[in-house]
Amino acid sequence: MELLVCIKQVPDDSVSVSLGADGAPKLDEIAPVVNAFDTYALEMAARFKEAHGGSVTVLTIGGDATVPALRSCLSVGADHAYKLAEESVCDTQGIAYLLSKASAKAGEQPFDVIFCGSESTDASSGQVGAQLAEILGIPVVTNVLAVEPREGGVTLKQETEEGYRVVEAPCPCVVTIVKPNYEPRYPSIKSKMAARKMPIGDLTAAGVEADAAQFGPEAAKVRRVAISAPPQRQSGVKIQEKEAAEAVRRAMEMLAGQKLI
Amino acid sequence: MAYLINPEDQDLLDSVREFCEKEIKEQCKEYDVSGEWPAEIYAKAAELGYNGLEVPEEYGGLGLERITVAAIMEEFAKADAGFVTTITASNLALKAVLIGGNEEQKQRCCDLLMEGNHGAFCLTEPMAGSDAGNSKTTAVRDGDEYVLNGRKCFITNGGVASFYVVTAMTDKSQGVKGMSAFLVEAGTPGLSTGNHENKMGIRTSNTCDVVLEDCRVPASALMGAEGEGYKIAMKTLDMSRTWVGCGAVGIAQRAIDEAVAYGKQRVTFGKPILKNQGLQFMIADMEIRVETARQMVAHALKLMDAGLPYARESAIAKCYAGDIAVQNALDAIQILGGYGYSREYPVEKLLRDAKIFQIYEGTNQIQRMVIGKSVIGKF
């Protein structure tokens, strides 16, 4: 099967982000990485390919800054990588539209299964996969833990609150991936070096016949009005009475005062 | 300041660092206590090609620059010095084969390392450490074979290697000129290994006796000609010492990293301890030492790259880096105070690990003899 994995480059989510004086997140010193959920998607696609054949193409919306992320994907199982540089796109609907157009031009299309991370670790909107499926007019299965081939389609394990349910979908379809019970592989020295020499395809909005009215600022259905840091946690109350009985009495008073008991 | 590596190789270093952080650093704490050889970690590392970093391109290697390999080795050493010792010891055996072996032997060992196997260099004996010429192991020619007998000790990777470079006397009357080197594969009848040493440090590396009892090897196992074994061994050590220095630099750097991280958050008398100039000066001295050692390693590697003599510089790199690794570990313990002395914190391990770097692959006294003689010359 031919597999497409849509990836996003995000600031390293193990580093805490603060806001600068201009109110924007300070990201200059935070290393960009491939969104964790997308790495799960890529690993799942790579394992699927290794077990059942086919190829894996990765695709991202972004300029030259995304090259390290794409190279990193090429070193852990992707066969082809494409980027579509378009700065005017500003909401998930626009991104999904561009991905839908690019998916018809990138790699070994037509794709049988399009993998997306279930969400990104920066904006966490969790919408792109579903919107992409809507635009392409194909089924979407969200929160997927495993994918197996079946005649004419795929069998999927979909995560639920209690465990998982098994669903089937015809191909082509979009799947959004959550963390399975394994970790993405590490690149080997050899695969890292080989990835340097692999081509990265350049796409443009015009080249994929995307209509600017569908993805530009005017088309945006969602607009970001502000970013704020989460409120600092208030420091707790210290009970420093010398006698235990007195300390307990104080604590009970405070709990009662807050109507907690 | 780290090694100045080719910017393209930075991504290799990043992925190695990630592996070290996630798969080695914490896991090795447990193995440091148990003394067990962490086969699972080494298997993962082998899959990623970490055993073959020094395999030359013409024998199927990746053609990495020496300085890039040094930067990677430093990452290994920062995570766990036993780990880097294992990798370096395989490369030590490889160097001997590349220096003294024929094409077939070179290709065989390179293939074994690229496939993720380990190698062992067997020179040391119970009564022949620094005095390698006092070797008692013998190799007697018998038709198309040699018969090896003797006992090698303190052999890194002894119990886990796929190939062994073994030195043995083919003509005792000739002294060191009667020593020869042989390439022996694991599983050869007559080659066995003793108990894994219960060591003070580098406890994630395997160290044991390698015993040769009527071990028959084909005559083609001889590396070079009879009598060239000592020369091959000394050339090998000249080269590998730089790499030992590289490992020591990693320990010394980890000592700084741990001391700084602790000193920023440990508050005494109302302020973090690193606000005190006395401790800032300690950190500065640690940094001066580690950077000097690192650049000495880099310089020795540069001489190798340029095809220039490097034996003295390699000895300086090993000797100095070994000494300062111990000093930096001691200073890190001092900065962490009572916690530094506790096994709950990582720095006491650094001291136990660092100590061997003043001992193995030529004690630092031997290094000083090499350096001194090279400066003074014959007179």
Side-chain angles (χ1 to χ4, degrees):
Chain A
M1 284 192 185
E2 300 308 327
L3 313 170
L4 176 69
V5 183
C6 302
I7 67 144
K8 182 181 185 185
Q9 185 166 263
V10 296
D12 186 346
D13 59 323
S14 64
V15 180
S16 64
V17 179
S18 58
L19 297 182
D22 60 353
K26 285 198 285 188
L27 302 174
D28 293 351
E29 289 178 6
I30 303 179
V33 296
V34 180
N35 170 42
F37 290 95
D38 301 344
T39 66
Y40 308 145
L42 175 57
E43 179 64 31
M44 201 177 287
R47 289 179 182 218
F48 187 99
K49 173 193 78 173
E50 284 155 8
H52 310 294
S55 74
V56 176
T57 300
V58 287
L59 169 65
T60 193
I61 306 298
D64 289 341
T66 63
V67 168
L70 292 170
R71 291 235 179 275
S72 149
C73 294
L74 288 170
S75 72
V76 288
D79 303 293
H80 311 284
Y82 288 82
K83 62 184 166 67
L84 190 155
E86 180 51 62
E87 285 182 4
S88 66
V89 61
C90 48
D91 75 341
T92 57
Q93 181 78 22
I95 294 283
Y97 173 74
L98 286 175
L99 288 172
S100 73
K101 288 291 182 183
S103 69
K105 300 283 182 189
E108 311 276 343
Q109 81 282 353
F111 295 107
D112 298 295
V113 185
I114 299 178
F115 290 73
C116 297
S118 63
E119 61 181 86
S120 63
T121 54
D122 57 352
S124 305
S125 69
Q127 295 175 4
V128 172
Q131 289 171 331
L132 174 59
E134 175 69 19
I135 294 165
L136 291 170
I138 58 177
V140 59
V141 182
T142 56
N143 299 336
V144 168
L145 288 163
V147 185
E148 286 297 326
R150 59 179 281 276
E151 187 60 38
V154 282
T155 304
L156 307 129
K157 278 185 184 174
Q158 185 180 41
E159 190 177 52
T160 66
E161 289 284 320
E162 295 80 26
Y164 62 86
R165 69 168 71 93
V166 177
V167 297
E168 292 176 351
C171 286
C173 62
V174 173
V175 295
T176 75
I177 306 301
V178 290
K179 181 158 185 354
N181 63 355
Y182 50 78
E183 295 288 334
R185 68 195 65 185
Y186 292 97
S188 70
I189 300 278
K190 194 174 181 178
S191 69
K192 269 269 181 197
M193 291 175 79
R196 288 177 190 164
K197 295 180 185 135
M198 292 166 77
I200 290 179
D202 273 312
L203 303 171
T204 60
V208 299
E209 294 157 21
D211 175 4
Q214 300 288 320
F215 64 81
E218 291 77 26
K221 294 183 171 57
V222 177
R223 194 164 54 88
R224 186 169 73 199
V225 290
I227 293 183
S228 59
Q232 294 255 332
R233 277 183 61 182
Q234 299 295 313
S235 56
V237 180
K238 277 187 185 167
I239 298 174
Q240 293 175 305
E241 316 301 331
K242 281 183 182 160
E243 297 297 325
E246 185 61 12
V248 171
R249 196 188 59 75
R250 265 290 280 136
M252 296 296 281
E253 264 179 25
M254 288 169 70
L255 290 170
Q258 296 289 322
K259 301 202 187 313
L260 292 167
I261 51 173
Chain B
M1 187 67 211
Y3 293 109
L4 266 181
I5 63 168
N6 177 352
E8 221 186 10
D9 286 347
Q10 188 59 46
D11 67 334
L12 298 181
L13 201 55
D14 292 342
S15 61
V16 167
R17 195 173 289 138
E18 188 188 358
F19 180 82
C20 289
E21 280 292 325
K22 290 187 181 165
E23 305 289 338
I24 302 180
K25 207 168 163 184
E26 289 303 309
Q27 290 80 345
C28 280
K29 284 181 182 171
E30 186 189 326
Y31 293 103
D32 176 57
V33 175
S34 70
E36 187 190 339
W37 194 73
E40 196 183 319
I41 296 176
Y42 285 116
K44 283 184 189 172
E47 243 176 63
L48 303 181
Y50 294 170
N51 293 24
L53 294 174
E54 289 192 60
V55 172
E57 208 169 2
E58 61 264 39
Y59 297 106
L62 297 163
L64 291 170
E65 291 178 22
R66 283 194 176 94
I67 199 77
T68 296
V69 178
I72 292 174
M73 293 289 186
E74 181 175 331
E75 290 303 322
F76 291 160
K78 270 162 65 179
D80 180 67
F83 183 88
V84 80
T85 295
T86 302
I87 302 290
T88 306
S90 286
N91 287 320
L92 170 66
L94 171 69
K95 285 182 184 77
V97 177
L98 292 175
I99 286 168
N102 59 32
E103 284 304 304
E104 201 179 320
Q105 290 166 334
K106 289 178 189 178
Q107 191 61 60
R108 176 71 182 142
C109 294
C110 288
D111 289 348
L112 284 169
L113 290 182
M114 290 305 286
E115 287 161 13
N117 297 292
H118 298 279
F121 180 70
C122 312
L123 174 68
T124 302
E125 296 181 14
M127 290 307 292
S130 297
D131 182 15
N134 195 34
S135 178
K136 299 282 185 271
T137 299
T138 57
V140 177
R141 180 86 190 223
D142 180 20
D144 285 344
E145 294 179 325
Y146 282 94
V147 185
L148 275 59
N149 277 291
R151 175 177 283 265
K152 299 287 177 178
C153 69
F154 300 137
I155 304 304
T156 307
N157 292 344
V160 297
S162 294
F163 69 95
Y164 299 82
V165 173
V166 179
T167 55
M169 306 305 284
T170 39
D171 183 355
K172 275 187 178 175
S173 67
Q174 297 278 319
V176 294
K177 288 185 178 165
M179 183 185 276
S180 302
F182 298 87
L183 178 61
V184 186
E185 297 222 12
T188 303
L191 184 147
S192 61
T193 53
N195 286 338
H196 175 32
E197 294 283 344
N198 187 8
K199 304 189 294 293
M200 170 182 174
I202 55 163
R203 290 172 60 78
T204 51
S205 69
N206 170 275
T207 313
C208 59
D209 283 6
V210 171
V211 183
L212 302 144
E213 288 171 305
D214 290 332
C215 176
R216 286 183 171 270
V217 295
S220 60
L222 178 69
M223 288 167 49
E226 275 193 19
E228 288 185 355
Y230 188 76
K231 194 175 74 184
I232 292 169
M234 292 304 112
K235 276 190 178 176
T236 301
L237 292 173
D238 276 346
M239 184 176 265
S240 73
R241 280 171 184 147
T242 308
W243 296 99
V244 174
C246 180
V249 167
I251 299 175
Q253 181 62 52
R254 175 81 183 273
I256 296 177
D257 297 347
E258 295 293 344
V260 169
Y262 179 85
K264 278 183 179 172
Q265 53 87 21
R266 168 65 170 171
V267 174
T268 60
F269 306 108
K271 61 181 180 185
I273 57 172
L274 282 188
K275 291 281 185 190
N276 296 304
Q277 199 178 47
L279 294 198
Q280 290 172 5
F281 282 7
M282 277 179 81
I283 297 291
D285 286 335
M286 291 166 83
E287 179 67 12
I288 290 167
R289 290 191 289 259
V290 78
E291 197 53 41
T292 309
R294 184 182 287 123
Q295 297 314 323
M296 195 64 222
V297 169
H299 179 57
L301 296 177
K302 206 168 188 176
L303 290 173
M304 288 177 206
D305 287 342
L308 294 169
Y310 53 79
R312 172 175 26 181
E313 288 73 12
S314 196
I316 295 174
K318 189 270 177 187
C319 183
Y320 184 69
D323 286 348
I324 69 107
V326 170
Q327 189 56 53
N328 274 18
L330 281 168
D331 285 356
I333 293 171
Q334 191 65 24
I335 289 169
L336 269 76
Y339 293 113
Y341 198 66
S342 164
R343 294 192 81 166
E344 291 294 310
Y345 284 73
V347 289
E348 60 81 33
K349 173 179 179 288
L350 298 181
L351 180 62
R352 290 186 287 107
D353 286 345
K355 184 60 202 170
I356 193 63
F357 286 77
Q358 291 181 307
I359 299 171
Y360 66 6
E361 294 208 29
T363 62
N364 278 6
Q365 284 69 32
I366 290 290
Q367 307 305 323
R368 287 182 166 87
M369 282 167 61
V370 170
I371 299 160
K373 280 181 186 166
S374 80
V375 173
I376 299 161
K378 284 185 181 167
F379 69 103

